[in-house]
Amino acid sequence: MGTCFSVLIRMELARPGDQILGGNHQLYNVLITAHAFLMIFFMVMPAMIGGSEVGSGTGWTVYPPLSGITSHSGGAVDSAISSLHLSGVSSILGSINFITTISNMRGPGMTMHRSPLFVWSVPVTAFPLLLSLLVLAGAITMLLTDRNFNTTFSDPVRGGDPILYQHLFRFFGHPEVYIPILPASGIISHIVSTFSGKPVFGYLGMVYAMISTGVLGSLVWAHHMFTVGLDVDTRAYFTAATMIIAVSTGIKIFSWIAAMWGGSIQYKTPMLFAVGSIFLFTIGGLTGIVTANSGLDIALHDTYYAVAHFHYVLSMGAVFAIFAGFHYWVGKIFGRTYPETLGQIHFWITSFGVNPTLFPMHFLGLSGMPLRIPDYPDAYAGWNALSSFGSYISVVGIRRFFVVVTITSSSGNNKRCAPSPWAVEQNPTTLEWMVQSPPAYHTFGELPAIKETKSYVK
């Protein structure tokens, strides 16, 4: 559904003037909000529910005064806030579950410094999520009381401050954008290691790079707020702190490249998606360095340059990693192999779709095209037409993915999956490759013990 909303947005933006929405700018913003909520929070409930104002047209940030009772007088924003609360509760409980499991339920001999990188990425994700979601809950609760109980947290006329909500939301919102990327780092590490025939270069460096990203990612929230009137020292701090994140990210990227360097690389579907994720995430990271500069960001804020940046990081870096992980572990989950040819077709179609969709947005943003406006001057028509065409190709690629899922999950002609389909049984780094596919209930009669073996060269 999130993809469908994005295609509707691109259909409206395909040419100058009113297209499929008939000039209804509120409905356009409702589509943007629904697309963002579905993609970021993975929930379908509230975004299109509402009264006479058609739906919640606030964008995913839900900033006042646009989200206030004057601008959205029906029930759509209240429904959206309620669903964010529910989504937040589920994420908090999930984070507690992961942290507790990884802390207390490791097998004998499985110290944290022997844990797989994907296991490391989960608590590094869960801790910032656990802390920042509580701040989000407070922010949207204040917004809810402003709307329904006549409080004035966001009303400057009566002593409130709309910038307070921005700080609280962004304190959640910036760790939030790293929350899909950190587990993606773990997934890519496993896949690159397997299909390069080498261990990941610099295990400890990768671990502490992920921890650094999680910590620093929680301390840079106001780089989304350079245009609100921050003083020059505050802007200098958030610019510098944001650029420092590039160091830990660079360590991960160069470690993956070093793992592939000189390896016997097999370009199966998971490896294609992993390499694609690294490439696209790198582009997104480089444009992030550009927007981290507070002087430049004054010009680029709320333009399509920002859309291109965070879609390359999230939509492409994270989503391609999800596709990579799906193809890597799906045989272990379903006990059936996926169709390799269709998987590779899915990769190439999607790659040739998303790049024409997103790369032109850099040029539109540099030319000053603003967000959330469904019409634009003729000068922007060419890049928008290319972007919309790319989104149609992307939909064809997504359809290929559903074909792969359907074939893999059915008991048709695809063959049964071996316990270790990637032939890592000689030197397995994780236990799932030691058991049958799919793993049986009560796979281990007793907890497997992990022992370190040392070989001595005479």
Side-chain angles (χ1 to χ4, degrees):
M1 286 188 68
T3 303
C4 291
F5 285 132
S6 70
V7 172
L8 290 173
I9 293 166
R10 288 310 325 168
M11 290 172 71
E12 175 62 31
L13 293 173
R15 289 185 296 175
D18 299 330
Q19 305 301 323
I20 62 171
L21 302 181
N24 190 335
H25 291 200
Q26 167 66 11
L27 181 57
Y28 176 80
N29 279 331
V30 169
L31 290 175
I32 286 178
T33 307
H35 166 67
F37 277 179
L38 286 165
M39 289 302 201
I40 295 171
F41 296 103
F42 199 70
M43 53 82 185
V44 182
M45 288 171 50
M48 299 298 285
I49 300 171
S52 60
E53 81 270 23
V54 181
S56 175
T58 60
W60 86 285
T61 55
V62 206
Y63 280 173
L66 181 58
S67 58
I69 198 70
T70 305
S71 301
H72 281 80
S73 57
V77 174
D78 298 316
S79 297
I81 291 171
S82 299
S83 70
L84 290 178
H85 271 304
L86 286 175
S87 178
V89 167
S90 69
S91 296
I92 288 171
L93 294 175
S95 298
I96 294 170
N97 192 335
F98 284 130
I99 292 168
T100 307
T101 300
I102 293 169
S103 299
N104 298 331
M105 299 183 69
R106 300 191 305 275
M110 178 59 81
T111 63
M112 282 305 294
H113 279 177
R114 290 179 184 171
S115 297
L117 287 171
F118 181 64
V119 174
W120 262 107
S121 71
V122 173
V124 172
T125 304
F127 274 110
L129 186 61
L130 184 61
L131 298 174
S132 64
L133 275 168
L134 299 174
V135 178
L136 175 71
I140 59 178
T141 301
M142 288 192 286
L143 190 59
L144 198 65
T145 59
D146 277 6
R147 289 178 52 83
N148 296 284
F149 300 107
N150 207 31
T151 57
T152 59
F153 294 111
S154 302
D155 185 359
V157 175
R158 296 188 287 169
D161 183 5
I163 304 301
L164 170 64
Y165 175 86
Q166 289 198 29
H167 277 290
L168 294 175
F169 179 86
R170 288 301 179 182
F171 188 80
F172 154 78
H174 200 78
E176 165 65 27
V177 301
Y178 283 103
I179 281 155
I181 285 298
L182 287 167
S185 300
I187 292 170
I188 292 169
S189 298
H190 284 258
I191 293 170
V192 165
S193 173
T194 296
F195 291 100
S196 299
K198 293 168 60 183
V200 171
F201 179 86
Y203 169 87
L204 275 182
M206 288 289 289
V207 168
Y208 289 108
M210 285 194 288
I211 294 172
S212 300
T213 303
V215 172
L216 290 170
S218 302
L219 301 176
V220 293
W221 71 92
H223 68 202
H224 296 276
M225 300 170 57
F226 284 142
T227 58
V228 305
L230 301 175
D231 65 82
V232 67
D233 293 331
T234 305
R235 285 166 51 187
Y237 160 73
F238 282 106
T239 293
T242 304
M243 289 184 172
I244 290 170
I245 296 181
V247 176
S248 60
T249 303
I251 290 170
K252 289 186 285 187
I253 290 170
F254 283 111
S255 294
W256 293 323
I257 294 172
M260 290 186 276
W261 190 271
S264 179
I265 300 177
Q266 294 178 289
Y267 283 110
K268 301 284 189 181
T269 304
M271 187 62 168
L272 287 174
F273 274 110
V275 173
S277 175
I278 295 169
F279 170 70
L280 296 167
F281 179 61
T282 302
I283 293 176
L286 291 173
T287 56
I289 294 296
V290 175
T291 54
N293 186 305
S294 60
L296 281 172
D297 190 66
I298 298 294
L300 298 175
H301 185 81
D302 272 358
T303 68
Y304 269 82
Y305 195 92
V307 177
H309 159 63
F310 68 73
H311 278 80
Y312 261 100
V313 173
L314 290 181
S315 300
M316 298 304 98
V319 170
F320 269 49
I322 291 170
F323 286 141
F326 171 85
H327 288 92
Y328 185 60
W329 279 294
V330 70
K332 182 60 63 177
I333 296 168
F334 287 122
R336 298 273 174 177
T337 58
Y338 69 88
E340 180 64 38
T341 302
L342 289 179
Q344 296 200 16
I345 290 171
H346 167 219
F347 167 78
W348 288 112
I349 293 176
T350 307
S351 295
F352 281 115
V354 296
N355 284 294
T357 302
L358 297 175
F359 205 82
M361 292 182 185
H362 294 105
F363 308 132
L364 291 169
L366 289 169
S367 302
M369 182 173 171
L371 302 184
R372 305 190 185 101
I373 309 293
D375 196 6
Y376 51 85
D378 290 348
Y380 300 137
W383 290 124
N384 271 296
L386 176 60
S387 185
S388 294
F389 178 71
S391 73
Y392 306 150
I393 298 175
S394 301
V395 172
V396 176
I398 297 298
R399 289 189 63 181
R400 292 296 93 193
F401 174 65
F402 286 115
V403 171
V404 171
V405 173
T406 303
I407 292 174
T408 306
S409 58
S410 63
S411 56
N413 296 325
N414 54 328
K415 61 183 181 181
R416 294 197 64 82
C417 184
S420 182
W422 312 121
V424 294
E425 59 269 275
Q426 291 86 6
N427 188 25
T429 55
T430 51
L431 288 173
E432 74 267 25
W433 307 120
M434 309 272 296
V435 298
Q436 66 186 36
S437 302
Y441 293 110
H442 305 293
T443 300
F444 297 104
E446 59 184 43
L447 284 175
I450 288 84
K451 294 184 174 65
E452 184 175 1
T453 57
K454 294 182 180 179
S455 58
Y456 296 95
V457 180
K458 294 183 180 180

